[in-house]
Amino acid sequence: MAAEGPAIRRVQVAEHLRLLKLKEMFKSKFGSIPKFYVRAPGRVNLIGEHIDYCGYSVLPMAVEQDMLIAVEPVKTHNVQLANTNPLYPDFSTSENNIQIDQTKPLWHNYFLCGYKGIQEHFGLSNLTGMNCLVDGNIPPSSGLSSSSALVCCAGLVTLTALGMNLSKVELAEICTKSERYIGTEGGGMDQSISFLAEEGTAKLIEFSPLRATDVKLPSGAVFVIANSCVEMNKAATSHFNIRVMECRLAAKLLAKYKSLPWDEVLRLEEVQAKLGVTLEEMLLIAEDALHPEPYSPKEICRCLGISLEELRTQILSPNTQDVLNFKLYQRAKHVYSEAARVLQFKRICEEAPDNMAQLLGELMNQSHVSCRDMYECSCPELDQLVDICRKFGAQGSRLTGAGWGGCTVSLVPADMLPSFLAKVQEAYYQKSQASSVPEKQRLFATKPGGGALVFLEA
C-alpha cells in the first residue's frame, strides 16, 4: 500500500451504464467527450467518532456510494463545473483566480479545495483548464462524507489532468489539508479512507505517520446505514470547530497540570504520548485535572497563565473567539474512552470469538452514549433512530459522522436483515420529514467498498 497511487483501470460492466449516462450528459452540456473519469467513495465510521483530529486511530470503511466526475482538460484557463443534480448550479472560474468563500459552503467550493491543494503542493502558478461534470450518489449532509469525497475526487482529477503522480497517502494528506480552506478543522479520517479503502475490509486508520491496517468484519452480520433526514453541514455551523477547540484546550490544560510544555501541545494524543501512560490512565488524569463545570475564557487564561488577548490570537481559531463556555472535562473523557473502544473493536475482530457481533455491538452502543452525553453531538432524531434500530434487532447502533444530524450505523445479524429493514422503515420513515430524502438514500445495508480510482473510458 505504502507508495502506489490510486488505481487506473478500464471500466467494468457494472459501472458501464452509469458512466455512459454521464458521458451523454457531458456531451450535451459541453459539446465534447470526457477524456477520463474519477471516482472517490464516501465512508461510514464504524467506531472512533471525533477523535481523528485529536491524533487517535479510527475504524471506518468506504461505502459503495461515491462521487464520480467526468473530465475534459481544455486549453483555455477556465475551470467549468456542472452537476447532474439540478439543485447545484453551474460554476465557472479562471484557474489563476481560485477563491474559496468560507462564509458560504457551496458545492463548488469543495471541488476548488482539492484543485487548489494540488496546485499548492506542486507550487504551480498555472494549472490546466478543464470541463467537469459531477455526479454524486452519497446522501448530502448525512455524515457519510460527501463533501470530503468531492474534495478527494477533485484532487485526483487535477493530478490526473496534469499527468502527475502521487501516492495514496500523499493524496490523502494533501486533501485533508486542503479541505481546511473551507474552514473545517477536520482530522483526516474521511480523506484517508477515501483513498486507502479496499473492497471487502474495513481499515484501522492511524495518523502521524498515516497508515491503514485491514480489519476483517464479522461474516454473519451486516452494517446498515439509516439516514435521520436531519441535514448537518460541518462548514455551515460552529459546532464542529468548537469541539476541535475544546479538545485542544483540554490537551493544553492537561499538559500544564502534568508540567509538560503545554504551549507545544495541540492534541489530546500528544499528552498521552509524552506521559507514556495508557488510555485508562489518561481518563483518571482527566478526572483529576479537569472539572465537569464549563470553563470560561478567563478561567482558561488563569490556568495557563496567559492574557485573554493571547488566548484569542494564539490559541483560538477565528470562528471560536466569541465562545463563552468550553466543556473540557466531557470532551477529554469522550476522546480517551472512544480511542480505547477503537482498539477493543479491532482486537475483537482479530480474535473473532463466538459472541463477536454482540461484543462489537456493545462497543457501538457505548460509543453512541458517549457521543450523546459527553460530546453532545447527537440530536433527538438520531437518538430515536438508534433506539428503533436496537428495538428491531440491531446488536449495536450509533451515530456516524460528525453528528447533529446525518446517519446512524447499526450492526445487524444477516438473517434478520429483511425484517429489520421493513420494521425500521415503518417505525421511522413513515413520518413526513423523511419524504424529501430519496428512498435509496434513507436506509440501506452496505459492505466495505474500494478506494478512489481513475477510469480511462466509458
Side-chain angles (χ1 to χ4, degrees):
M1 180 211 80
E4 89 269 22
I8 299 176
R9 65 168 172 79
R10 296 192 179 278
V11 178
Q12 295 171 355
V13 175
E15 302 146 345
H16 198 58
L17 285 176
R18 185 175 169 208
L19 283 163
L20 274 181
K21 191 175 170 189
L22 192 59
K23 182 178 182 178
E24 288 307 310
M25 291 177 80
F26 189 98
K27 207 189 295 183
S28 160
K29 184 78 188 172
F30 296 111
S32 52
I33 292 174
K35 294 292 183 288
F36 63 90
Y37 306 78
V38 171
R39 61 101 47 187
R43 63 97 193 97
V44 58
N45 190 22
L46 302 179
I47 199 151
E49 220 59 78
H50 285 280
I51 62 173
D52 57 338
Y53 53 76
C54 297
Y56 282 109
S57 307
V58 289
L59 215 155
M61 67 183 191
V63 292
E64 295 158 71
Q65 290 87 343
D66 59 21
M67 285 291 170
L68 181 64
I69 305 183
V71 189
E72 178 197 23
V74 292
K75 294 209 164 27
T76 68
H77 293 290
N78 285 339
V79 177
Q80 291 201 82
L81 304 177
N83 200 304
T84 58
N85 186 332
L87 291 176
Y88 303 124
D90 293 359
F91 177 79
S92 179
T93 187
S94 166
E95 49 87 12
N96 55 17
N97 186 35
I98 301 299
Q99 304 206 354
I100 298 166
D101 185 351
Q102 289 195 3
T103 64
K104 295 178 184 169
L106 300 169
W107 80 273
H108 63 258
N109 282 326
Y110 292 98
F111 183 98
L112 296 180
C113 283
Y115 185 85
K116 185 178 176 184
I118 296 297
Q119 180 184 32
E120 295 201 339
H121 177 78
F122 288 108
L124 303 170
S125 52
N126 292 313
L127 279 183
T128 182
M130 56 178 90
N131 295 331
C132 297
L133 180 60
V134 178
D135 180 54
N137 57 14
I138 308 167
S141 302
S142 65
L144 299 180
S145 203
S146 58
S147 52
S148 294
L150 181 51
V151 174
C152 292
C153 214
L156 187 50
V157 160
T158 310
L159 187 76
T160 308
L162 289 168
M164 300 172 104
N165 291 305
L166 289 169
S167 71
K168 295 176 187 176
V169 166
E170 287 171 313
L171 273 164
E173 288 174 335
I174 290 165
C175 290
T176 297
K177 188 176 156 194
S178 65
E179 190 165 335
R180 293 177 190 145
Y181 296 140
I182 211 154
T184 304
E185 297 286 333
M189 167 178 57
D190 302 350
Q191 300 82 0
S192 301
I193 192 65
S194 196
F195 285 111
L196 301 174
E198 292 177 80
E199 241 171 89
T201 181
K203 295 278 186 179
L204 179 81
I205 305 278
E206 299 169 88
F207 303 96
S208 304
L210 177 60
R211 56 211 184 278
T213 309
D214 290 358
V215 176
K216 190 171 179 356
L217 298 171
S219 54
V222 292
F223 288 93
V224 177
I225 292 168
N227 193 338
S228 72
C229 305
V230 177
E231 290 199 358
M232 190 277 164
N233 186 318
K234 280 189 297 193
T237 67
S238 59
H239 300 314
F240 185 89
N241 286 337
I242 289 171
R243 295 302 184 279
V244 175
M245 194 51 59
E246 286 173 321
C247 291
R248 184 174 300 174
L249 291 168
K252 288 183 180 297
L253 263 67
L254 288 171
K256 181 79 189 289
Y257 178 78
K258 284 300 205 175
S259 304
L260 297 171
W262 64 265
D263 51 332
E264 297 171 14
V265 169
L266 288 176
R267 297 184 181 92
L268 285 164
E269 186 275 335
E270 293 169 38
V271 183
Q272 185 197 356
K274 286 177 191 296
L275 293 175
V277 300
T278 64
L279 286 163
E280 290 70 24
E281 287 170 307
M282 277 312 309
L283 280 165
L284 295 174
I285 291 168
E287 285 187 14
D288 286 342
L290 303 171
H291 56 66
E293 299 75 31
Y295 286 74
S296 68
K298 276 186 182 174
E299 185 180 2
I300 290 166
C301 290
R302 199 162 59 244
C303 291
L304 296 177
I306 58 173
S307 68
L308 270 171
E309 183 60 22
E310 286 171 312
L311 176 68
R312 287 173 61 86
T313 58
Q314 294 174 27
I315 299 176
L316 298 181
S317 56
N319 49 16
T320 58
Q321 288 181 359
D322 297 324
V323 177
L324 300 177
N325 289 299
F326 296 97
K327 293 189 177 181
L328 308 189
Y329 171 88
Q330 292 84 346
R331 310 317 183 217
K333 290 267 287 186
H334 167 75
V335 170
Y336 289 131
S337 63
E338 187 78 347
R341 281 187 285 272
V342 170
L343 300 181
Q344 287 173 274
F345 196 102
K346 177 176 181 276
R347 190 171 65 248
I348 292 165
C349 288
E350 286 170 346
E351 294 172 357
D354 291 343
N355 60 342
M356 178 180 181
Q358 179 199 332
L359 294 173
L360 296 179
E362 285 169 6
L363 288 173
M364 292 171 72
N365 292 339
Q366 290 166 21
S367 173
H368 184 77
V369 169
S370 185
C371 285
R372 182 191 69 202
D373 299 345
M374 302 306 280
Y375 221 73
E376 297 176 278
C377 61
S378 190
C379 67
E381 293 85 355
L382 282 172
D383 295 337
Q384 182 194 3
L385 195 47
V386 160
D387 289 343
I388 287 170
C389 290
R390 289 181 195 159
K391 178 182 174 185
F392 293 123
Q395 289 182 290
S397 188
R398 60 181 292 278
L399 66 83
T400 185
W404 300 289
C407 291
T408 63
V409 58
S410 300
L411 181 61
V412 180
D415 57 0
M416 289 184 65
L417 182 62
S419 71
F420 175 84
L421 292 173
K423 287 171 180 172
V424 174
Q425 174 72 31
E426 185 181 351
Y428 188 82
Y429 294 100
Q430 301 307 334
K431 296 186 301 184
S432 58
Q433 69 176 46
S435 59
S436 60
V437 177
E439 201 168 324
K440 286 182 182 174
Q441 297 184 354
R442 286 186 216 161
L443 182 67
F444 52 91
T446 189
K447 55 182 188 283
L453 51 79
V454 180
F455 296 115
L456 289 182
E457 60 180 47

